[in-house]
Amino acid sequence: MSINILLYKITLLVYLAATILFLVDVITRRVKLGTIARWILGGGFLLHCITLGARYFATGHVPVVNLHESLSFFAWAVIGIFFLFDFKYRLDILGAFSCPLALALMILGAATTAPTPTVNPALDSWWFPVHVALAFLGYAVFALSFVAAVMYLLQERMLKSKSFSGLYYRLPSLEILDNINYRCLTIGFPLMTMGIISGAVWANSAWGGYWRWDPKETWALITWFLYAALLHGRLTIGWRGRRAAIFAIIGFLCLMFTFFGVNMMLSDLHSFNALEGR
Amino acid sequence: MNIIVVGLSHHSAPVEIREKVAFSPNDMKRPLRQVLDLPDIGEAMIVSTCNRVEIYATSRNPDAGIAGLRRFMADFHQLPQDDLQPHLYDYQGEEAIRHVFRVSASLDSMVIGEPQILGQIKTAYGYAAEFKTVGLILNRFLHKAFSVAKRVRTETNIAGNAVSVSFAAVELARKIFGSLDNKTVLLIGAGEMCELAAKHFINNGVGRVLVTNRTFSRAERLAAEFAGRAIPFEEFPEHLHLADIVLTSTGAPTCILDRPRVEKVLKIRKNKPMFFIDIAVPRDIEPQVNGVPNVYLYDVDDLQGVVQANLKERHKEAKKAEEIIDLEIGQFHAWMATLQVKPTIVSLRRKFEEIRRGEVEKTLRNLKHVDQKQEKAIEALTSAIINKILHPAISALKEKQNGEGDNFVDAVRTLFALEGTAGETQFKPLAVDDEGLETDQPTPDQSQGAK
């Protein structure tokens, strides 16, 4: 087992520990655990940075080429973005919702540790890591907005129906959740837009055409329009709360389909096989 | 020495009994002195609130001590023994420690988690300290109880959620709006409940208050009180969109707000959420209003439901508090155990013997040509020295066993740094005030003047 895979597996275990701590914290409301969980998660994040670095030096390319690498990068970005928001809001429950997501990505990634890929030289340009990094950072931000939207719907449900479970006491106010949702949108949307544009530029330099309507491009565009509609609704006609949360959830599901579904079900230029020149 | 508790509370006695055995705060010296004069009582303090009257004391002979306190309770208040005895409970040893910890942490209160009880116990302790009826054990014990109460309050959410209807409304508003700054409250009608809730909202930072009432002069009066603005009753629908929180309590026989109106208002507000609190019976707001997106409508029953849910949550938190208390009882018990004379003598001897042994070995290693006879002589010499030094101290400990023994034991343990005491025996007298929690158990930083 190469060193970066070993590091990856240790990182996964550290994330697992942090996830368990966050969940126990939220279920039993032992606030001290949340602090410990953050330290562990922070340690895991550093380890993850080292893992990505080790992978970069071992393979010689920015580690976003095959499914394993993408999942790892995706999870890394989710944790990073979580910390950005946690810095401002300090919500244990956000950790309890975000960590399992990152953990799931990591486990999927562990199941797909393929041999080190080599990049098809025709596609090897600096646009490639820029395109993929922007796209995944956007994914991660939208993942957080998805998490906040789920939390919003749960909290809203309880406030409307007036029956409170223990979760009611752990969840923050609707205002904060809606706010996180909105912030994610204003950060994620530009990232996604730039991701698509940089992808088009890269495509042009590689294949001599900006847009080819392959399934991934089509789905990315559909998702982009969804988020654009949400942003527009929020800014101009006062969409907020429940409707915005539902939109954010649909948007993220589309995004996930763009990422997983298209890769696995439909073969095209964006599949990893094409990328590796097989 | 044992800690004992005798008393009654809302659990064991109705108010007619409780009021008869209450001790007046203006006259604490007399009863405290009398308790101390009872046989078998070492130290004592009296807690007297409207929900409980309890005597905390120490005794060499707990059963006799308890019997004495039980009799005292009735005698002091000139009540027939038979009337009072069934309502009194008593605890000794570990159970007494647990009881006092639970009471100070507000686990035994009528409304679990209510904050007053701790202050009341501090005041009671203050009297006892003033009249010098507490000594080493109760001092340490009460400090421990205060710090346990503080731990419970910071580590559990026992006092976290509102248990009154009007405050529950404020908390709900917080769950919806987050911060209440810049939020506007509209009062429709001016019932007492409405006023109370409005006060809570203002104390919690609501930005602006609008008041409307069928009698405009009343609206004006209330508006003046809250530094708000009065609106004529006929015009309030036009101002509805300004309000984030609407409190209604009119005497109107039918609903004054219906769903279509609220839907229209929400459109003007661009869907900014609204929180309606309908305290009136019959209700002022059509229940269907709750179905409008981003609108939350609570009537009196709903708020009661919230209070019930909050109480349930407090009970859950109380379980966590019990765990903390279990842990702390163990610690305190360990300290109490060190106060026993025999183990103290044993560890005192052991300590001296260890020192002697170490020094003798060191010396023998450095000396050359020491034969067995000489070695024995050195052993005998050193043993004789420590025995001579220890003899009066040990006889004194044995002699005082039944009197001020605890103080002696504690002093010996501190002076010779025997285990179970290190650094823990020193504490400042507690400054009794409302927020006196911080003055518990000085940490090393505090005693070095870090403040």
Side-chain angles (χ1 to χ4, degrees):
Chain A
M1 187 160 35
S2 58
I3 186 85
N4 65 73
I5 297 293
L6 182 69
L7 279 170
Y8 180 88
K9 291 191 168 155
I10 298 172
T11 307
L12 192 154
L13 289 177
V14 176
Y15 284 168
L16 177 67
T19 306
I20 291 171
L21 278 177
F22 265 127
L23 289 175
V24 173
D25 164 26
V26 163
I27 292 165
T28 66
R29 223 200 121 86
R30 279 163 214 264
V31 203
K32 272 186 189 165
L33 290 183
T35 314
I36 303 171
R38 277 185 183 80
W39 280 104
I40 294 179
L41 190 67
F45 185 67
L46 276 182
L47 205 60
H48 205 161
C49 295
I50 298 169
T51 310
L52 294 177
R55 183 90 183 174
Y56 174 76
F57 283 112
T59 61
H61 59 250
V62 181
V64 282
V65 171
N66 63 8
L67 187 60
H68 164 73
E69 289 173 349
S70 310
L71 286 164
S72 173
F73 187 79
F74 191 179
W76 175 83
V78 168
I79 300 291
I81 303 289
F82 161 73
F83 271 118
L84 276 185
F85 277 90
D86 193 56
F87 191 68
K88 179 167 165 61
Y89 295 102
R90 234 202 123 68
L91 291 170
D92 290 8
I93 185 110
L94 195 61
F97 275 79
S98 318
C99 280
L101 187 68
L103 187 66
L105 294 171
M106 291 295 280
I107 291 171
L108 272 179
T112 54
T113 46
T116 313
T118 46
V119 184
N120 182 348
L123 303 180
D124 201 4
S125 112
W126 269 106
W127 281 110
F128 160 60
V130 169
H131 163 62
V132 182
L134 284 171
F136 277 113
L137 283 176
Y139 281 16
V141 175
F142 284 133
L144 253 283
S145 99
F146 165 77
V147 162
V150 170
M151 285 159 69
Y152 185 97
L153 290 185
L154 287 170
Q155 184 74 316
E156 201 249 9
R157 187 78 249 130
M158 285 188 276
L159 277 165
K160 277 272 191 199
S161 66
K162 294 150 193 173
S163 68
F164 305 121
S165 72
L167 201 57
Y168 166 78
Y169 298 96
R170 322 293 191 255
L171 285 169
S173 65
L174 293 179
E175 167 82 14
I176 285 180
L177 292 172
D178 196 44
N179 222 323
I180 293 178
N181 211 320
Y182 177 62
R183 271 165 198 277
C184 284
L185 188 63
T186 53
I187 301 169
F189 188 71
L191 282 173
M192 190 183 180
T193 311
M194 289 190 293
I196 291 176
I197 294 172
S198 60
V201 174
W202 176 37
N204 189 40
S205 71
W207 299 308
Y210 288 102
W211 199 268
R212 300 180 151 226
W213 293 108
D214 77 35
K216 186 139 187 161
E217 286 169 352
T218 313
W219 274 95
L221 198 65
I222 293 171
T223 315
W224 186 87
F225 271 115
L226 261 172
Y227 279 118
L230 176 56
L231 190 62
H232 175 77
R234 268 191 179 273
L235 290 176
T236 59
I237 37 182
W239 281 10
R240 61 172 75 229
R242 190 180 156 76
R243 181 182 304 198
I246 291 174
F247 244 85
I249 289 173
I250 296 174
F252 185 67
L253 293 180
C254 272
L255 206 61
M256 285 302 93
F257 182 73
T258 313
F259 178 36
F260 290 111
V262 174
N263 271 326
M264 287 166 190
M265 291 186 265
L266 315 158
S267 166
D268 62 73
L269 293 173
H270 268 87
S271 76
F272 294 116
N273 289 343
L275 193 61
E276 287 171 35
R278 275 185 227 145
Chain B
M1 196 55 97
N2 244 297
I3 291 177
I4 56 176
V5 172
V6 167
L8 48 73
S9 72
H10 56 97
H11 290 305
S12 70
V15 64
E16 301 85 58
I17 302 282
R18 298 204 302 270
E19 65 192 6
K20 278 187 196 138
V21 293
F23 292 90
S24 154
N26 305 318
D27 180 29
M28 286 305 270
K29 191 174 179 175
R30 200 165 52 93
L32 278 170
R33 282 273 146 228
Q34 285 185 20
V35 172
L36 220 55
D37 288 342
L38 295 173
D40 300 307
I41 297 294
E43 309 169 22
M45 62 173 277
I46 298 174
V47 177
S48 181
T49 76
C50 49
N51 280 334
R52 71 179 64 244
V53 179
E54 293 179 336
I55 303 178
Y56 306 155
T58 64
S59 174
R60 285 258 157 239
N61 184 352
D63 292 326
I66 285 170
L69 289 181
R70 276 179 165 268
R71 245 174 288 121
F72 167 81
M73 277 280 224
D75 292 346
F76 185 84
H77 296 100
Q78 287 146 14
L79 294 169
Q81 293 287 346
D82 294 345
D83 289 3
L84 186 61
Q85 294 309 331
H87 297 291
L88 290 176
Y89 46 76
D90 58 69
Y91 302 101
Q92 52 174 292
E94 196 174 307
E95 284 313 301
I97 299 173
R98 179 187 308 277
H99 177 76
V100 176
F101 284 1
R102 290 188 75 243
V103 170
S104 349
S106 195
L107 295 180
D108 200 48
S109 301
M110 199 181 272
V111 176
I112 286 189
E114 57 89 10
Q116 282 96 347
I117 184 66
L118 184 59
Q120 289 162 334
I121 294 182
K122 281 186 174 167
T123 311
Y125 173 71
Y127 289 127
E130 190 184 334
F131 302 124
K132 302 199 169 53
T133 63
V134 282
L136 175 80
I137 293 184
L138 284 192
N139 273 334
R140 177 64 89 77
F141 179 45
L142 268 293
H143 280 85
K144 193 76 203 175
F146 300 154
S147 73
V148 170
K150 185 185 179 183
R151 252 195 90 181
V152 165
R153 253 212 301 210
T154 50
E155 290 178 25
T156 73
N157 199 24
I158 193 154
N161 301 296
V163 288
S164 74
V165 164
S166 47
F167 203 72
V170 174
E171 272 187 10
L172 279 168
R174 282 238 183 80
K175 278 285 182 194
I176 295 167
F177 298 111
S179 149
L180 297 183
D181 308 348
N182 316 319
K183 295 290 178 286
T184 300
V185 177
L186 168 63
L187 301 184
I188 305 179
E192 212 173 298
M193 273 276 269
C194 208
E195 240 182 281
L196 185 65
K199 270 187 195 137
H200 276 309
F201 273 113
I202 289 161
N203 290 338
N204 284 278
V206 149
R208 188 159 61 132
V209 181
L210 307 174
V211 187
T212 184
N213 196 21
R214 272 189 220 278
T215 325
F216 189 62
S217 60
R218 269 195 86 178
E220 277 181 316
R221 187 185 58 75
L222 260 186
E225 192 182 322
F226 296 141
R229 189 178 137 208
I231 297 166
F233 192 76
E234 302 71 39
E235 289 171 24
F236 94 79
E238 286 106 83
H239 292 84
L240 208 51
H241 68 278
L242 297 174
D244 303 289
I245 299 157
V246 179
L247 272 163
T248 66
S249 67
T250 72
T254 55
C255 288
I256 56 167
L257 275 174
D258 56 14
R259 186 171 169 148
R261 160 107 59 211
V262 173
E263 274 171 348
K264 238 178 270 163
V265 169
L266 255 284
K267 210 165 263 170
I268 303 173
R269 284 172 62 81
K270 284 196 163 179
N271 291 318
K272 271 201 291 182
M274 281 183 95
F275 180 28
F276 289 89
I277 304 150
D278 184 356
I279 311 180
V281 180
R283 288 178 290 182
D284 280 338
I285 304 174
E286 204 180 70
Q288 285 83 348
V289 164
N290 193 45
V292 180
N294 295 313
V295 170
Y296 305 88
L297 165 64
Y298 278 71
D299 62 28
V300 174
D301 283 1
D302 297 335
L303 291 175
Q304 286 291 2
V306 174
V307 167
Q308 289 310 316
N310 287 350
L311 277 173
K312 233 196 246 162
E313 185 71 8
R314 280 192 179 196
H315 279 98
K316 268 192 221 154
E317 292 295 312
K319 286 204 188 99
K320 239 183 284 170
E322 304 276 4
E323 285 168 28
I324 293 176
I325 286 176
D326 280 340
L327 223 85
E328 298 275 359
I329 288 176
Q331 280 179 21
F332 189 75
H333 221 64
W335 177 74
M336 288 283 288
T338 66
L339 291 183
Q340 283 174 1
V341 169
K342 264 191 204 145
T344 306
I345 293 174
V346 172
S347 48
L348 189 62
R349 275 191 200 283
R350 194 184 303 134
K351 176 110 186 182
F352 273 63
E353 179 61 21
E354 265 167 29
I355 295 172
R356 188 192 69 81
R357 171 112 295 147
E359 294 301 316
V360 165
E361 274 167 15
K362 212 172 9 171
T363 309
L364 286 180
R365 236 181 287 131
N366 293 335
L367 286 178
K368 282 154 197 158
H369 319 300
V370 182
D371 58 36
Q372 275 218 319
K373 211 168 148 198
Q374 285 167 319
E375 199 181 312
K376 265 199 181 141
I378 292 175
E379 291 276 348
L381 164 75
T382 47
S383 296
I385 293 176
I386 65 163
N387 282 337
K388 286 248 160 92
I389 294 175
L390 277 177
H391 178 72
I394 287 173
S395 343
L397 274 175
K398 282 182 177 160
E399 203 174 301
K400 301 283 184 187
Q401 199 159 15
N402 296 316
E404 330 149 62
D406 298 330
N407 288 312
F408 272 74
V409 170
D410 199 52
V412 166
R413 286 197 169 262
T414 311
L415 287 174
F416 295 105
L418 302 182
E419 70 275 17
T421 48
E424 257 207 87
T425 24
Q426 311 156 343
F427 59 86
K428 293 192 290 210
L430 176 82
V432 178
D433 56 70
D434 287 345
E435 275 310 308
L437 284 167
E438 280 69 29
T439 52
D440 300 348
Q441 304 280 344
T443 59
D445 314 7
Q446 278 173 330
S447 48
Q448 279 157 21
K451 273 189 183 170

